[in-house]
Amino acid sequence: MIDNKKVLFSGMQATGNLTLGNYLGALKNWVKLSDEYECFYSVVDLHSITVRQDPAEFRQKAKNLLALYIAAGLDPEKNCIYYQSHVSGHAELSWILSCFTYMGELNRMTQFKDKSAKHADNINAGLFTYPVLMAADILLYQTDVVPVGIDQLQHLELTRDIAQRFNSVYGDVFTIPEPFIGKTGAKIMSLQDPSKKMSKSDENPNASIYLTDDRDTIIRKFKRAVTDSMAQVKHNEEQPGVSNLIEIYSACTGKSFEDVEKEFDGKGYGDFKLAVGETVADILAPLQSRHADILKDKAYLDGIVKNNAEKAQYFSNKTLRKVQKKVGFNEKIR
Ligand code: ATP
Ligand code: LTN
């Protein structure tokens, strides 16, 4: 608890272009929850270097992501929006927690299996211990709730196991965090292959809607989205492509699946796809223009980055000092 409020932590990687999946599965919920909780939203740049990055491009992408958090509606005066690499406690706690994590546990992580298949030429130790760093991010702030998409549930379960293991040895050091998964949009699928999640690292640009796509591109991509020959707008297992579009439309408009089915009863896929495309374009346009404005204001962004890194450092230090003491490190002479 901070000032009688429960704590929320979440983060995103500044790799690739953010997709509609990232927005509907994560960012949109962050904004919804931000009044209720004391929030930490990190640009998790330490995680990103598990995959090789071009330094200049990476720096810009991280800045774009930080500005996007603000453009999406997170007030940086109320929410702690910061770069993970600016707060030393993440890496420090990660080392300690890695001594409380088993190889077998990390071996089971599906994201590790997927990423090591994708980057077979660079299966580094960081890719393997990535979930420990994620556990450190979360536990460092005594987090109560972590809003993420479904793909991150396995990492969160591991975080809870590590925390419980540590607590069982040293007493109540860490708060045990709970995941928060939104009712709709928790797993947006690829527009070209509805059996795969929409992913920013997909090589096929038609598979994902990027948050930077313009209106025409968005509408064109939805027109090309893979559906079926059943000619009915219905949410069911036999129609994964159409169901995914219903899910997107529902997450954007707040309408239930049944209402969406009724709205398009008797209408063709052409009409339906156009409606989904227009709705998504209407949501992304204001986000894009706010984003451009924020990026132009360097002094404003610099101020936020500085103040929030200090705030994150302050809260993370409290947990880190406690952990260092518990494991038996000698106290630093200050
Ligand atoms: P990559 O494709 O490079 O693995 P990613 O698109 O999964 O990246 P992350 O930075 O790993 O992006 O995820 C940021 C947040 O977005 C996480 O909370 C994740 O659960 C959520 N998310 C990612 N993809 C989707 C999706 N298709 N549907 C819903 N939520 C998603
Ligand atoms: N692993 C997450 C990103 C991430 C995260 C976190 C999410 C890193 N640290 C802490 C929530 C809380 C991902 O790949 N999406």
Side-chain angles (χ1 to χ4, degrees):
M1 295 282 237
I2 297 177
D3 289 342
N4 273 329
K5 272 187 169 175
K6 287 193 168 178
V7 177
L8 179 156
F9 184 97
S10 202
M12 276 193 201
Q13 293 196 63
T15 37
N17 272 330
L18 248 63
T19 70
L20 188 63
N22 298 127
Y23 181 68
L24 296 179
L27 201 48
K28 195 162 172 273
N29 290 322
W30 296 8
V31 177
K32 240 192 266 163
L33 296 167
S34 65
D35 280 337
E36 200 181 325
Y37 293 90
E38 183 70 35
C39 301
F40 295 85
Y41 293 115
S42 187
V43 171
V44 291
D45 47 5
L46 297 177
H47 281 99
S48 302
I49 63 163
T50 51
V51 173
R52 220 45 92 227
Q53 305 293 339
D54 170 77
E57 213 177 275
F58 179 37
R59 208 171 283 125
Q60 191 55 47
K61 277 190 177 151
K63 191 180 279 181
N64 282 346
L65 182 57
L66 192 116
L68 189 71
Y69 287 4
I70 303 168
L74 297 172
D75 179 350
E77 307 289 333
K78 292 197 194 125
N79 302 284
C80 189
I81 292 175
Y82 71 101
Y83 296 116
Q84 183 190 29
S85 62
H86 286 190
V87 179
S88 57
H90 291 259
E92 291 180 71
L93 182 61
S94 180
W95 169 254
I96 297 175
L97 296 182
S98 73
C99 302
F100 292 82
T101 309
Y102 298 114
M103 301 284 284
E105 289 177 311
L106 294 176
N107 255 326
R108 283 197 289 277
M109 296 292 120
T110 53
Q111 184 169 308
F112 170 67
K113 290 183 205 165
D114 292 349
K115 295 252 153 140
S116 42
K118 239 186 210 167
H119 305 279
D121 55 336
N122 182 20
I123 306 178
N124 59 68
L127 204 57
F128 189 62
T129 57
Y130 177 114
V132 183
L133 179 59
M134 178 161 163
D137 298 342
I138 296 168
L139 300 179
L140 205 45
Y141 298 93
Q142 304 293 350
T143 301
D144 295 284
V145 59
V146 186
V148 280
I150 285 177
D151 61 307
Q152 293 301 312
L153 271 186
Q154 198 186 29
H155 287 161
L156 211 68
E157 209 39 60
L158 177 67
T159 302
R160 290 165 54 90
D161 289 344
I162 298 171
Q164 266 150 358
R165 188 170 302 145
F166 194 94
N167 283 358
S168 72
V169 181
Y170 301 105
D172 270 345
V173 177
F174 294 124
T175 303
I176 309 298
E178 298 283 346
F180 177 95
I181 308 278
K183 281 201 191 74
T184 50
K187 194 165 187 190
I188 301 298
M189 311 310 277
S190 152
L191 297 185
Q192 291 299 315
D193 176 359
S195 67
K196 279 192 341 198
K197 79 160 187 166
M198 184 182 285
S199 161
K200 50 182 142 103
S201 45
D202 203 309
E203 312 83 52
N204 181 354
N206 287 322
S208 307
I209 300 293
Y210 299 114
L211 299 187
T212 48
D213 281 347
D214 62 27
R215 189 175 189 86
D216 290 348
T217 309
I218 295 171
I219 291 177
R220 179 171 46 77
K221 285 184 180 177
F222 275 111
K223 264 191 199 153
R224 289 193 187 163
V226 169
T227 48
D228 52 58
S229 54
M230 293 171 78
Q232 49 168 15
V233 177
K234 284 257 180 314
H235 193 281
N236 59 48
E237 278 178 17
E238 285 94 71
Q239 297 183 263
V242 171
S243 298
N244 187 39
L245 297 181
I246 294 180
E247 184 103 22
I248 293 173
Y249 191 66
S250 159
C252 289
T253 57
K255 293 176 185 166
S256 68
F257 296 164
E258 295 74 45
D259 285 347
V260 180
E261 289 176 358
K262 262 188 227 146
E263 190 178 337
F264 293 97
D265 188 26
K267 296 208 174 117
Y269 287 164
D271 287 348
F272 175 51
K273 287 175 171 182
L274 182 64
V276 181
E278 284 181 337
T279 306
V280 170
D282 286 346
I283 288 186
L284 296 189
L287 188 78
Q288 291 167 356
S289 79
R290 276 198 301 274
H291 189 226
D293 289 345
I294 293 164
L295 278 172
K296 271 185 226 146
D297 198 342
K298 185 173 181 304
Y300 169 73
L301 264 185
D302 284 352
I304 285 164
V305 166
K306 180 171 180 290
N307 292 342
N308 280 328
E310 280 166 9
K311 180 173 169 189
Q313 185 79 45
Y314 171 80
F315 285 107
S316 59
N317 264 344
K318 286 194 183 189
T319 304
L320 188 65
R321 298 286 167 260
K322 195 165 165 190
V323 169
Q324 289 169 332
K325 200 165 164 190
K326 290 282 184 186
V327 296
F329 295 159
N330 276 296
E331 224 173 308
K332 226 176 181 175
I333 313 296
R334 288 169 204 281

